[in-house]
Amino acid sequence: MTRPVVAITADTALLTYTIWKDVPIAALPLAYIEKVVAAGGVPLLTLPEPGAVAEVVERADALLLTGGQDIEPLRYGAEPHPRTLPPFPARDEAELAALAVAERRGIPVLGICRGLQLISTVRGGTLHQHLPEHSPAVPGRYDARRIRIAPDSRLGAAVGPSATVHCHHHQGIDRLGAGLVATAWSADGVVEAAEDPTARFVVGVQAHAEMGEDTDPLFAAFVEAARAGARERAGV
């Protein structure tokens, strides 16, 4: 059969190149695309357009929720912290719509950084809006961190009981959303991953799993779950 199609949430940015300045573009770090391709999937970018993203995910075999801006705190019942970054409502709405379709269809979902936070908050979870000790030492550079992983989890089955991950975040899980269980932790106890054990594949990781090699098996497991689901829907 053809390779499974993985819908990947993209962002927007302003790009300056040749004679053009501040051109609005759809943007996504290539690392996400490269990991999906290396795992055997076909990447399909979804834009932060609430009215269109649902139709894209209806046709996809899996959904990858990527990192990015802080989620609007009012969405999980909190007032903005002074260090919380300005929200991007269109992206919040688009990714919530994408996630709703993915969960209704039962296709695999992998959330990275902001993606984990979105999976949790949509189920009633809350966030620590600022964790100074987890903020990047140098903005724009990832910090390597060793995390402990529950061996009986999907993440543990893929990558083992521990992994070196690459972090660039200042927020984290406070109260987990309904139906999710924590499956990885940093040395100071901050939740580094969570998943829904009743779903085919709903896994979120706080670190940037698109970076480094320790998390390659996670992408392989994600794409394999997408492939298996596509076979079932095709009756193969």
Side-chain angles (χ1 to χ4, degrees), residues 193-216:
E195 56 193 61
D196 182 346
T198 68
R200 174 187 292 276
F201 191 107
V202 174
V203 176
V205 292
Q206 181 58 68
H208 281 265
E210 79 277 12
M211 305 303 297
E213 299 179 355
D214 279 16
T215 47
D216 285 357

Side-chain angles (χ1 to χ4, degrees), residues 7 11 16 30 34 50 59 101 104 128-129 153 170 188 233:
D11 210 335
T16 296
L30 278 173
E34 292 168 348
R59 294 166 170 78
V101 172
R104 173 177 56 76
H128 292 294
Q129 291 190 52
S153 64
H170 78 115
D188 59 2
R233 289 189 295 276

Side-chain angles (χ1 to χ4, degrees), residues 3-4 6 8 28-45 64 66 110 112 142 208-213 215-220 222-223:
R3 293 180 293 165
V6 178
I8 309 177
L28 181 73
L30 278 173
Y32 292 102
I33 295 172
E34 292 168 348
K35 292 291 186 181
V36 168
V37 171
V42 176
L44 175 64
L45 271 61
L64 174 55
T66 60
L110 175 59
I112 293 178
Y142 295 100
H208 281 265
E210 79 277 12
M211 305 303 297
E213 299 179 355
T215 47
D216 285 357
L218 173 62
F219 277 88
F222 171 56
V223 171

Side-chain angles (χ1 to χ4, degrees), residues 34 74 186 225:
E34 292 168 348
L74 296 178
S186 61

